Amino acid sequence: MEGDLAYIGAGLAGMGTGIAALGVGNVAANFLAGALRNPSAAASQTATLFIGIAFAEALGIFSFLVALLLMFAV
Amino acid sequence: MGKLFFYVALALVLVSGIIFGSPDGKLAIHPMDQFTVEPFFGGAHVGLFTVTNVTLWMALAIAAIAAILVMGTARRSIVPSRSQSVAELAYGFVYKMVEDVAGKDAVKFFPYIFTVFMFIVTSNFLGLIPMSFTTTSHFAVTGVLALVVFVAITVTGFVLHGAKFLALFWVSSAPLPLRPVLALIEVISYFVRPVSLCIRLAGNIMAGHAVLKVFAGFAGALGAASFLPIFAISAFYALEVLVAFIQAYVFTILTCVYLKDALHPSH
Amino acid sequence: MASNSHDTSHEAGHAHDAAHGAVDAAHGAHDVAHGASGMPQLDFSTYGNQIFWLLVTLVVIFMILSRVALPRIAAILSERQGAITNDLAAAEDLKSKALEAENAYNQALADARAEAQRIAAQARAEIQADLDVAIAKADADIAAKAAESEKAIAEIQAGAVESIKLVATDTAKALVTALGGKADAKAVAAAVTAKMEG
């Protein structure tokens, strides 16, 4: 029973990765919108784009890790 | 010609699905088995100095780096060959990153950052070879990498600036009552840095490889229809190639960002 | 997830596998072999080994990079930069040389042109001198001829005047005789001379 609850928890935690995907998409979409307005400044900001994506994605990876821990380690 | 190639590939996928498909059609998915650390020369016990598959793939990473950066540049030609231009490209890429993100005075840390970058990017790409072992998918490995970076940068900050390095946590542009709260948040976020570095890299690589393995399990169970998951694997593999590079890039660029904080701590 | 927790006995693992099917069976076997959880990343017994080999690898890579690769690549890049700079300088040099050569060519052309003009002028002067000599000679000849002719004409004229004087004198003498006078030869001659001069 306890193990089954852990699986449910893992599923719930896995939803976090999807929500983080929304965040990553948000970062990329806003970067694209800005880049289309001012293409000359876009090239110098790709590093910032990747840093932003990395921060947004890290939280999704955290929830993925929680899901894995619930599945395999609890 | 392209069409013919496509049909041959399709036929191969179908045939291999029929041949290798699980005969009883049972779902047998072990996405985590590929990450097992096991002794290379048999036996079960993994001691501190045991030669394991970790040793093998790290040695291969060293060999690949040496092949590209040392043997590729052996001829020192003015007009570079292919491998030499790869080496020069990697050098220029990381050098420019360090210079742009961390500042000109960070260039003396370039060899260390380049070492970390080359290790991660080579391990990631070696891990994409089928049946291989991915060293960067382990928290032990990425954790040590992140910890080395974290400790080195913190020590650098204190050596260069002494107690003034703590100004990094004291946001002087904020209103005075808010500053202790912000300082607490800054300290927490500072110590979360190595954790997020470690988990981001290992998590991304592990997740990608596990997904590939899950699709491979579907392919084994579906028999003749296994070409569907095999197409999915091909598409996902392309994404993983991208992720392998981007995660190495992100790890390195965040290292540069943190290094910049250590060199110029004033907020 | 009991089978995944550590140190489960062989029998317990098998009992659990029977309940959970093939997936757990594999993990059960794996767990028996390694005494670890289902996630190899959380198998702390391998951490020491991984960290040891990672540190060895990092040190080796750092040695290779800092001793061999990085100085070599930096040397190649700076050498290329130097070669480009040299080539540009050489190109600049060649360009100035070409400009010099063009100037020299123009100079030579101008010199040749001046020389040609000088030679032409000289030739013209020589011809002119010859011509002048010839013209002077011709003029002299013409003048001599003209003087001769003038002399002849003068002689003829003088001869003609003498004849006229003779004829006039004779005519006057005959007229005077015919009119009944006695012609004084001397007077008639004087009168004719006076008339002719008058």
Side-chain angles (χ1 to χ4, degrees):
Chain A
M1 186 60 203
E2 199 182 308
D4 297 341
L5 282 179
Y7 278 125
I8 292 172
L12 288 176
M15 284 160 64
T17 56
I19 295 165
L22 287 181
V24 172
N26 201 11
V27 172
N30 281 320
F31 175 80
L32 188 61
L36 287 177
R37 270 168 210 259
N38 188 2
S40 58
S44 63
Q45 295 305 316
T46 43
T48 324
L49 168 72
F50 279 111
I51 293 172
I53 284 181
F55 281 132
E57 187 205 25
L59 300 172
I61 295 290
F62 283 154
S63 68
F64 169 73
L65 184 74
V66 169
L68 280 180
L69 288 175
L70 284 173
M71 276 181 71
F72 293 111
V74 175
Chain B
M1 190 62 206
K3 232 177 200 173
L4 182 72
F5 181 77
F6 176 75
Y7 286 128
V8 168
L10 191 65
L12 273 178
V13 165
L14 279 173
V15 169
S16 66
I18 291 165
I19 293 174
F20 297 113
S22 180
D24 48 359
K26 237 191 243 164
L27 216 53
I29 302 174
H30 314 298
M32 289 299 164
D33 285 4
Q34 57 178 325
F35 303 121
T36 313
V37 177
E38 51 203 7
F40 189 60
F41 297 112
H45 179 67
V46 178
L48 185 56
F49 305 114
T50 315
V51 176
T52 56
N53 46 1
V54 178
T55 320
L56 170 70
W57 287 96
M58 283 187 181
L60 285 177
I62 296 177
I65 291 173
I68 295 171
L69 293 185
V70 177
M71 272 144 77
T73 58
R75 278 195 290 164
R76 301 162 184 259
S77 36
I78 295 279
V79 179
S81 59
R82 264 183 227 182
S83 52
Q84 189 181 323
S85 55
V86 168
E88 285 171 12
L89 222 60
Y91 182 96
F93 178 72
V94 179
Y95 195 88
K96 195 169 170 300
M97 195 198 303
V98 173
E99 209 176 50
D100 288 355
V101 177
K104 285 225 187 297
D105 45 350
V107 162
K108 57 179 178 292
F109 296 97
F110 167 69
Y112 306 99
I113 294 173
F114 195 53
T115 304
V116 170
F117 174 79
M118 284 313 290
F119 173 74
I120 295 174
V121 81
T122 331
S123 300
N124 286 354
F125 279 133
L126 282 177
L128 283 173
I129 299 171
M131 313 299 292
S132 71
F133 175 83
T134 320
T135 48
T136 42
S137 68
H138 275 263
F139 293 125
V141 172
T142 59
V144 169
L145 281 174
L147 217 59
V148 165
V149 166
F150 176 76
V151 170
I153 286 175
T154 309
V155 168
T156 308
F158 275 112
V159 166
L160 285 183
H161 303 284
K164 273 192 209 148
F165 182 59
L166 294 173
L168 184 64
F169 307 115
W170 196 251
V171 188
S172 51
S173 58
L176 192 59
L178 270 181
R179 281 183 208 171
V181 184
L182 284 177
L184 187 66
I185 294 173
E186 289 281 335
V187 168
I188 291 172
S189 86
Y190 189 80
F191 283 100
V192 165
R193 280 173 178 185
V195 179
S196 82
L197 268 185
C198 154
I199 289 182
R200 179 184 301 114
L201 178 56
N204 265 293
I205 302 300
M206 182 193 0
H209 284 247
V211 167
L212 284 178
K213 210 65 171 185
V214 168
F215 275 109
F218 288 158
L222 286 178
S226 64
F227 66 91
L228 286 172
I230 290 180
F231 279 141
I233 289 177
S234 310
F236 215 84
Y237 191 90
L239 180 68
E240 282 310 301
V241 171
L242 194 69
V243 166
F245 176 74
I246 286 183
Q247 287 310 316
Y249 173 67
V250 162
F251 194 101
T252 320
I253 206 166
L254 286 177
T255 304
C256 292
V257 171
Y258 300 155
L259 183 60
K260 185 185 158 219
D261 277 353
L263 295 176
H264 312 283
S266 54
H267 243 290
Chain C
M1 307 298 289
S3 78
N4 288 339
S5 56
H6 316 258
D7 301 322
T8 334
S9 76
H10 215 250
E11 288 78 8
H14 272 295
H16 200 79
D17 291 341
H20 276 273
V23 179
D24 275 357
H27 282 294
H30 166 82
D31 289 348
V32 168
H34 294 281
S37 64
M39 213 171 138
Q41 277 87 348
L42 298 178
D43 181 359
F44 293 101
S45 68
T46 64
Y47 268 37
N49 182 275
Q50 293 190 57
I51 292 169
F52 168 72
W53 288 114
L54 172 68
L55 293 178
V56 170
T57 308
L58 285 182
V59 168
V60 170
I61 293 176
F62 181 72
M63 286 298 164
I64 292 175
L65 289 186
S66 61
R67 293 281 159 84
V68 188
L70 294 184
R72 188 185 287 175
I73 295 175
I76 291 171
L77 290 181
S78 68
E79 195 182 320
R80 178 171 310 143
Q81 197 56 47
I84 289 171
T85 317
N86 278 347
D87 285 358
L88 283 180
E92 198 62 38
D93 205 34
L94 287 177
K95 197 175 162 191
S96 70
K97 268 185 188 158
L99 210 63
E100 244 167 56
E102 196 190 337
N103 285 341
Y105 168 77
N106 282 341
Q107 186 64 43
L109 203 64
D111 286 356
R113 199 168 282 152
E115 180 72 11
Q117 260 166 7
R118 196 184 60 73
I119 290 171
Q122 197 181 352
R124 202 176 294 134
E126 275 168 19
I127 291 169
Q128 192 66 46
D130 287 356
L131 208 59
D132 285 351
V133 170
I135 287 172
K137 205 173 153 222
D139 279 354
D141 285 357
I142 289 167
K145 282 258 168 68
E148 221 169 277
S149 306
E150 237 160 77
K151 211 168 117 194
I153 288 167
E155 268 168 26
I156 291 165
Q157 216 166 18
V161 168
E162 208 59 29
S163 305
I164 288 167
K165 209 183 267 180
L166 209 63
V167 170
T169 309
D170 283 354
T171 310
K173 222 182 270 178
L175 272 175
V176 167
T177 311
L179 287 171
K182 199 177 165 222
D184 186 358
K186 268 190 188 165
V188 169
V192 168
T193 307
K195 268 284 181 218
M196 281 194 50
E197 280 168 4

